[in-house]
């Protein structure tokens, strides 16, 4: 069984994978990155490094999403001068030290690639052979990079799920019996804490493919704030302002509105921005809300006039990326490994919150990385 599975190559996981979308060459600042993400239909955009002496030699140095920009705007010094922050170099968004995106070759074995994931790589990027005539399109959502695709934790979980019978009876055991339920303290915040308490947790969630659990004082799970839900919000500046002024519970309600935030919460954010002396953030927030309101008014007259493609893209982002914050995906300690895999894959998340069946208190978290380690241990010894 082990020999048969490990004989698979990375290229087997790349079949049918779309090419990654990249930032346009003109994207030099944080503001350029935000504009490209807003225009696009991809939740992440790749950061390309091109060898000027040999333009055909390209590498992916990172991947960025709206949540990265929001965290950056809320960091020390940037709240008071967000306009200046948006003019900072794009490199300011990339994590120091790198290593979160690793390149693997198509002929690498599944185990070689899996070991990189389990060693902490956030994503793998694989060169793929372009289909038909190679294109190099830059603009709007970023150029279609015809020679790279992403591989994530989800791709490996799907691979093992397709071969689940080979691992019997391990997949039928509970996640508790397998020791997969680990503490969620590093991803947990109380609903009455200030929104700024989220920042280190969201950054951790970005690198760990998880979310931030929002709990009551006695530890019951109320909901979650995920990088995906932040990316699905069009009011990027307003969300950053909300993080700076609201409690976590109020912020969870604010980001659930998807394009039509509560007037009362908007007024509250504006009032607190004035109290904190964050005048520039207030001005940018008002400009953003006015622009979105004008776009909404225009779109109501005729979908064709605005562009049906743009509207469909917006709806797709809302439905595919952002569930309501009050509806996190949960399981119980007695849930089997295979049940947890199927549930997470069905809801396009790479983690499940583990709660008590009686009082819904948060007991921990189980992630795709945890699940993958179980299968790795059943195969050939690690090098």
């Amino acid at each position: 069984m082990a020999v048969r599975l490990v004989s698979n190559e990375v290229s087997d996981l790349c079949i049918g994978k779309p090419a990654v979308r990249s930032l346009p060459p003109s994207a030099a600042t944080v503001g350029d990155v935000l504009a490209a993400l807003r225009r696009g239909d991809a939740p992440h955009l790749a950061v390309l490094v091109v060898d000027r002496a040999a333009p055909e030699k390209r590498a992916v140095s990172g991947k960025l999403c709206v949540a990265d920009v929001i965290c950056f705007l809320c960091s020390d010094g940037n709240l008071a001068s967000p306009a200046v922050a948006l003019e900072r170099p794009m490199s300011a968004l990339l994590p120091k030290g790198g290593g979160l995106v690793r390149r693997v070759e198509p002929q690498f074995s599944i185990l070689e690639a899996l070991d990189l994931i389990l060693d902490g790589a956030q994503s793998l990027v694989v060169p793929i052979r372009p289909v038909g005539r190679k294109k190099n399109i830059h603009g709007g959502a970023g150029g279609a990079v015809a020679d790279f695709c992403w591989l994530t934790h989800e791709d490996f979980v799907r691979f093992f799920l397709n071969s689940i019978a080979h691992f019997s009876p391990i997949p039928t055991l509970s996640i508790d019996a397998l020791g997969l339920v680990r503490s969620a303290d590093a991803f947990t915040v109380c609903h009455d804490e200030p929104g700024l308490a989220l920042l280190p947790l969201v950054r951790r969630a970005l690198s760990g493919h998880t979310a931030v659990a929002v709990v009551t004082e006695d530890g019951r799970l109320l909901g979650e704030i995920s990088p995906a839900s932040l990316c699905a919000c069009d009011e990027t500046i307003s969300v950053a302002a909300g993080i700076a002024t609201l409690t976590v519970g109020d912020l969870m309600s604010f980001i659930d509105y998807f394009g039509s935030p509560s007037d009362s919460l908007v007024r509250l954010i504006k009032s607190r921005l004035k109290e904190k002396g964050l005048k520039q953030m207030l001005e940018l927030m008002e400009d953003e809300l006015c622009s979105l309101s004008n776009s909404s008014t225009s779109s109501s007259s005729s979908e064709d006039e605005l562009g049906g493609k743009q509207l469909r893209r917006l709806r797709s982002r809302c439905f595919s990326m952002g569930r309501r914050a009050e509806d996190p995906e949960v399981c119980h300690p007695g849930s089997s490994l295979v049940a947890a895999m199927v549930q997470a894959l069905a809801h396009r998340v790479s983690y499940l919150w583990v709660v008590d069946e009686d009082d819904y208190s948060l007991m921990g978290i189980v992630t795709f990385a945890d699940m993958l380690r179980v299968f790795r241990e059943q195969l050939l010894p690690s090098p």
Side-chain angles (χ1 to χ4, degrees), residues 134-153:
K134 186 173 180 179
K135 296 181 180 180
N136 184 20
I137 305 170
H138 291 285
V145 185
D147 55 354
F148 289 111
C149 73
W150 295 120
L151 280 186
T152 65
H153 296 63

Side-chain angles (χ1 to χ4, degrees), residues 100-253:
L100 294 181
V101 174
R102 299 287 297 274
R103 173 173 172 151
V104 295
E105 300 303 322
Q107 68 272 18
F108 276 26
S109 73
I110 293 291
L111 286 191
E112 287 178 297
L114 179 58
D115 286 337
L116 290 175
I117 286 284
L118 296 181
D119 283 342
Q122 186 185 77
S123 298
L124 304 181
V125 64
V126 187
I128 55 176
R129 187 171 301 173
V131 177
R133 186 177 179 181
K134 186 173 180 179
K135 296 181 180 180
N136 184 20
I137 305 170
H138 291 285
V145 185
D147 55 354
F148 289 111
C149 73
W150 295 120
L151 280 186
T152 65
H153 296 63
E154 179 180 332
D155 297 304
F156 289 91
V157 171
R158 289 187 184 278
F159 171 76
F160 286 114
L161 183 61
N162 290 335
S163 306
I164 201 74
H166 294 300
F167 296 91
S168 182
I170 298 295
T172 63
L173 300 180
S174 71
I175 55 174
D176 189 36
L178 291 169
L180 298 183
V181 183
R182 58 187 175 95
S183 172
D185 291 348
F187 303 100
T188 303
V189 65
C190 191
H191 72 100
D192 58 1
E193 290 192 52
L196 287 173
L198 281 170
L199 287 186
L201 306 186
V202 171
R203 290 193 180 100
R204 198 171 296 141
L206 275 166
S207 61
H209 295 278
T210 59
V212 180
V214 181
V215 299
T216 62
E217 292 86 347
D218 57 358
R220 288 183 296 109
L221 183 63
L222 283 177
E224 69 175 14
I225 294 177
S226 68
S229 63
L230 295 177
C231 291
C233 294
D234 288 306
E235 305 88 357
T236 311
I237 303 298
S238 301
V239 171
I243 291 175
T245 56
L246 299 176
T247 65
V248 171
D250 285 339
L251 181 66
M252 192 168 64
S253 299

Side-chain angles (χ1 to χ4, degrees), residues 117-119 368-378:
I117 286 284
L118 296 181
D119 283 342
F368 275 168
D370 301 321
M371 300 175 192
L372 289 172
R373 284 191 177 90
V374 172
F375 294 103
R376 182 65 181 87
E377 291 168 2
Q378 302 303 310

